[in-house]
Amino acid sequence: MPEHRIPLSREVVKAIFLVCLADGIVGLSYGSLAIADGFSIWVPVALSTLVLAGASEFLFIGVVAGGGSPLTAALAGLLVNARHLPFGIAVKDLVGSGARGLFGCHIMNDESVVFGISQSTLAQRRAAFWLCGIGIGLIWPLTVITGAAIGQFIPDVSAIGLDAVFPAILIALIFPALRQRRTLIPASGGALLSILATPFVPAGMPVLFSLLGLLSWRMRK
């Protein structure tokens, strides 16, 4: 019946589907890279289901593969995921309460938050948040497992360019936003700081320096 239909436009549903598909491609890359870096298959599988945060998972794998300790990698991942604190405040009326709220927090990610807060009505915001969150929550572990299984048969993942998939997709997703000067300046400043820090800090840490690029936006206000 009409009242039980998802209260989202076809364009929004299509956009959510494409984002989930892009995350799935990244999941294939992540699973393959983890195996190529010498991790047992259970590591990316466990991270993809229990952590469910792509950036932190990539960071963890990168730091440990670069010689860092798992504790340092975990702390770096927690720092990157600190953005979920304001995210939680922004979508507190979308995740629900009790057991539902715990699950809603688990599937909360950058994409589900963006889709959730960008809709017009509360019903649409909830529908977009949950549709995107559950979609990524399903496709991410499945593609990571698939990528890890495939990675066992690929002698050199970087030779076929899988290591470039993640940054390429990120650039494609953020490129439209870079047309705005208020976004371009902090992003460019953060990228420059990250590049400058690369020779001096452990693997996976330069991305944290990019957050300082936000200071340029604050100073312009």
Side-chain angles (χ1 to χ4, degrees), residues 98-181:
R100 176 186 173 94
L102 291 175
F103 181 66
C105 290
H106 184 59
I107 63 171
M108 181 177 63
N109 50 59
D110 298 12
E111 297 91 336
S112 62
V113 170
V114 169
F115 278 109
I117 65 177
S118 62
Q119 306 307 308
S120 301
T121 68
L122 179 60
Q124 290 174 330
R125 290 196 293 272
R126 283 177 175 165
F129 173 83
W130 282 92
L131 181 61
C132 185
I134 292 176
I136 292 176
L138 290 174
I139 198 170
W140 180 254
L142 289 175
T143 54
V144 168
I145 294 171
T146 304
I150 294 173
Q152 297 180 84
F153 305 100
I154 301 177
D156 186 2
V157 175
S158 61
I160 60 175
L162 277 178
D163 57 328
V165 171
F166 184 60
I169 290 177
L170 284 182
I171 292 174
L173 289 174
I174 68 172
F175 187 76
L178 295 180
R179 296 172 183 171
Q180 302 177 18
R181 187 174 180 181

Side-chain angles (χ1 to χ4, degrees), residues 11-25 115 169 173:
E11 289 74 18
V12 173
V13 174
K14 180 180 178 181
I16 291 175
F17 171 78
L18 291 175
V19 166
C20 289
L21 181 61
D23 273 29
I25 296 174
F115 278 109
I169 290 177
L173 289 174

Side-chain angles (χ1 to χ4, degrees), residues 22-58:
D23 273 29
I25 296 174
V26 177
L28 290 173
S29 173
Y30 165 58
S32 300
L33 288 173
I35 297 302
D37 284 335
F39 290 91
S40 300
I41 192 171
W42 69 266
V43 176
V45 171
L47 290 174
S48 65
T49 54
L50 300 177
V51 179
L52 193 57
S56 295
E57 293 175 48
F58 266 99

